[in-house]
Structure formats: C-alpha cells, structure tokens
Amino acid sequence: MTFDLTPEQDQLRDAVRALGRRYGHGYFVEKAKADEHTTELWAEAGRLGYLGVNIPTEYGGGGGGITELAIVCEELAAAGCPLLLLVVSPAIAATVINRHGTEDQRKRHLPGLADGSQKIVFAITEPEAGSNFHRLGTVARRDADGWLLSGRKCYISGVDEADHVLVVARTEEAGTGKLKPALFLVPTDAAGLTRSKLDMEILSPENQFLLYLDDVRLPADALVGESLDAGLPALFAGLNPERITVAAMGAGTGRYAIERASEYTAARKVWGGRSIGSHQGVSHPLAHAAVQVELARLMIQKAATLYDAGRDLEAGVAGNMAKYAAGEAAALAVDTAVQVLGGAGMTTEYGVATLLGAVRAGRIAPVSREMILNFVAQHVLGQEKSY
C-alpha cells in the first residue's frame, strides 16, 4: 500500500496548481458576479491537456483515469477556482461516451471534450422525481426516423455553455413498470428544447437551468450505445466519477479556505502582540477542519484508485463515502475560516464567504448526505432498505 502519487501525477498536480493560482479566486468571483463564464481558464486548461486527462490517447486525451481528473478538480478548487463543469463534462459525459458509446460517438465527441472545445452537460434530475431514475417522467418514443423526447429537467448545470445535453430518459417500455432507462445526446439548439435560468443563491460562474423537452426529434444515433441495453450500464458508469470528482472539488475548496484562514490568523495580532492563531480557540477549530479535509482526501484517493482498477462495486461504496466526507469537510472548513477571520471573513476581499453557498450545496448535490447514509446503512451495514 502506498499513498504516494506517481511522478507523472505529481507533475500534473504541480502544473494544475500553478495554472489555478495564475487565475485565482479573484478571477472566479469576478466572472461569477459579472454573470460570465470562466472561458479563459477552461480554454487554457484544455489546451494544456488537463480537461482530457481521463480520456484515451487515441481520442486526444491523456490516457489516465479518474485519479488524474480528481487531481485537476482538487487543485483548481484549492486555487479558488472550483469548476463545476469539470464534473459534468469530462467526468460524467466523457466517461459515459467512452465506456458505452458507439465508436462513431467516441470519435465525434471525445476529442472536443479532451481539448475543451466541446462541453456536454448532464440532465437526470426532474422537478417531481428528483434524481430517482426509477420514476423519471422524461420519455423517449421511437418513430420512423429516430426518437422523440418529452419531459422536464431541473438544476441542469451549464446548458448555456454546452453543445449537447446528455439526457436520461425512459423508453416507452418502461411505462409498463419495467425500468428501461436510456441516454441521449441532445444538441442544445435542437427544436423543442427550451430552457429557463434558475436564480440561485450561490456565487458561481456556472448557471443552473430548467429544461423543457417538447417532442424533441432526434436521429437514431443520438441514443448512447448500440442498443437500449446500454442505458442502465451507461447511467451507472457516470455516477461514480461524478461523486469522486465532486468530492475532489470539495476537498480542494476546503484546502483553499484553510490556507486563507491560516495565513490571516498567523499574521493578525490584536491582544498582547501575539497572533490570534496562537490561541487555541482559533487554532483548534482550524486544525480540526484540516484533519477532516485530509481524511476526505484519503477516501477520494481510495475511491479513484478502485474505480480506475475496474472495481466498480467497491468504488461505489468508497465514492459515496468520499462525497459525504468531502461535503462535510468543505462546509466545515469554509464556515470555520469565516469565523476565525471575524468581520473580514464576510468580505469579498478575503475570499472565503464567497464559497459559503457552494459548499452548502455540496452537502445536497449531486446526492444528498441523507441518501448516502441510506446507501451505507443498506449496502455496508446490511440494514433493511428504508425508502
């Protein structure tokens, strides 16, 4: 057992850290407040190969795995630039297409995902069903020329930046009671697809949307995979990378908050000429948060290693635990940073309160902490299913 990164992974971490710090949290906040996107950072990360680290080399990627993509997510977040679209485009969409798409779909989409020139976002959540894919109301019907999709989706990130939406629907056979999910690549300019922006109390350069699909006509090859049998495996293929990379982004955000707070408390002197960080009432909460973040990082490393080794069932357990641990740790770290900075913690200048909304959302999405506890109780502890 080793906790050391390979030399290549170390180089990747250092390079991404340097890129993130060149842009920094000020850039991230400026873009978010101006309702703009982090286009420059995304383009440079793509040009340098960081967005495609988990994509096979034959499609223009780096040939690595989710371990490498988690490094990218964590280091950009640790520099104050947590990019949500890293989760939905390279982690979810690229993994689904690579593992379960047709060869034509891989050739058509993976090179663009690798260099950042293409973005594909993910649409599973619905107003009524939430993310319970057993009860999805979005239906795909065959017709003579291909497919017709109808339904609604909510909390869909980055639609205004994307070329395609990877939509999870149910085929008509599922209406009989038998689950038959299917995934479709839907162009964002498709006729019948409309969107409405959701106003969120989260400072983020990525926007959230409601999607409406009104008989969106798609060609036969919009179905991901060779047949409907690819639907369920394809859906599950994207869930573990999603949890692992969200966790990595949370751990990076926690690291950023602790670093900012530690610099401040080591330098700030109020009582008797000593730094406020010398007082245990300040240093102990920060130390506790640092322990929690480091524990989450270990579980993220375990989950990514299991996933890249093809041990999907074990990676599912570890990925859920990693997401839970990182969500809690990030929220604790940012809240603690705000507290120890006092009034400065609530200013934009010091750059920690700007992350409060995002880390709170990290305890809800993409799967809530309560559903993770349900999963662990059932699948690890052997308890009866509670829902």
Side-chain angles (χ1 to χ4, degrees):
M1 179 182 295
T2 178
F3 297 101
D4 294 329
L5 298 177
T6 66
E8 293 78 14
Q9 290 168 342
D10 264 328
Q11 291 169 11
L12 175 65
R13 186 179 291 282
D14 291 343
V16 176
R17 181 187 297 119
L19 172 66
R21 289 184 173 177
R22 265 202 295 115
Y23 284 86
H25 190 59
Y27 165 83
F28 180 88
V29 171
E30 180 183 353
K31 290 292 184 180
K33 290 194 170 185
D35 198 22
E36 296 176 354
H37 305 307
T38 51
T39 306
E40 302 86 356
L41 174 54
W42 185 272
E44 188 167 355
R47 186 169 62 253
L48 294 170
Y50 305 150
L51 302 180
V53 289
N54 61 312
I55 294 173
T57 55
E58 58 263 40
Y59 303 108
I66 294 302
T67 298
E68 285 73 21
L69 187 59
I71 289 172
V72 175
C73 291
E74 182 181 343
E75 289 307 320
L76 287 179
C81 297
L83 300 187
L84 181 57
L85 287 190
L86 280 170
V87 175
V88 294
S89 196
I92 300 175
T95 299
V96 167
I97 292 170
N98 181 50
R99 291 185 62 170
H100 296 283
T102 65
E103 181 59 22
D104 178 67
Q105 289 166 345
R106 287 191 284 269
K107 289 179 178 177
R108 202 180 335 150
H109 297 292
L110 291 181
L113 292 174
D115 66 19
S117 62
Q118 183 177 166
K119 296 175 184 175
I120 299 177
V121 296
F122 184 60
I124 182 172
T125 307
E126 295 186 357
E128 300 300 325
S131 56
N132 180 1
F133 63 86
H134 294 281
R135 297 188 178 276
L136 295 182
T138 301
V139 174
R141 309 188 309 276
R142 288 186 189 272
D143 76 351
D145 301 317
W147 297 91
L148 287 172
L149 263 65
S150 294
R152 294 186 300 161
K153 298 290 182 180
C154 62
Y155 304 117
I156 309 306
S157 307
V159 179
D160 55 334
E161 302 180 61
D163 309 280
H164 289 77
V165 184
L166 184 60
V167 175
V168 184
R170 297 177 69 176
T171 58
E172 287 188 301
E173 292 85 347
T176 63
K178 181 181 179 183
L179 175 65
K180 200 74 172 179
L183 278 68
F184 296 87
L185 285 160
V186 181
T188 50
D189 60 356
L193 176 64
T194 56
R195 67 186 188 228
S196 174
K197 184 180 174 183
L198 288 164
D199 291 327
M200 306 292 290
E201 296 299 324
I202 299 173
L203 189 65
S204 172
E206 293 109 350
N207 295 315
Q208 301 291 316
F209 291 89
L210 284 166
L211 294 187
Y212 306 91
L213 300 102
D214 298 312
D215 282 341
V216 176
R217 186 173 296 278
L218 299 172
D221 64 359
L223 174 70
V224 173
E226 301 288 352
S227 72
L228 288 174
D229 292 335
L232 193 59
L235 174 58
F236 280 118
L239 297 183
N240 285 340
E242 176 189 51
R243 283 150 175 69
I244 295 166
T245 50
V246 164
M249 191 167 64
T253 301
R255 285 172 51 203
Y256 167 83
I258 292 167
E259 181 179 348
R260 295 288 292 173
S262 298
E263 291 172 351
Y264 180 88
T265 55
R268 174 78 165 158
K269 296 180 180 179
V270 178
W271 307 108
R274 298 173 62 190
S275 70
I276 62 173
S278 68
H279 299 286
Q280 293 176 353
V282 174
S283 63
H284 280 190
L286 275 177
H288 174 63
V291 169
Q292 299 309 306
V293 169
E294 191 62 23
L295 291 173
R297 294 181 75 205
L298 288 172
M299 185 53 77
I300 293 163
Q301 185 177 1
K302 176 179 180 179
T305 300
L306 289 169
Y307 183 83
D308 290 338
R311 295 159 65 178
D312 288 349
L313 290 177
E314 294 165 278
V317 173
N320 273 289
M321 289 183 171
K323 193 272 171 187
Y324 181 97
E328 299 298 301
L332 175 67
V334 172
D335 185 68
T336 301
V338 170
Q339 187 68 26
V340 300
L341 265 69
M346 294 304 296
T347 66
T348 302
E349 176 187 356
Y350 283 89
V352 286
T354 44
L355 294 165
L356 281 169
V359 295
R360 187 61 186 85
R363 299 174 74 204
I364 300 169
V367 58
S368 72
R369 62 193 298 274
E370 290 76 18
M371 287 304 296
I372 292 176
L373 293 175
N374 283 335
F375 178 90
V376 172
Q378 180 184 350
H379 295 283
V380 178
L381 305 181
Q383 302 303 303
E384 183 179 355
K385 187 175 181 179
S386 62
Y387 58 96

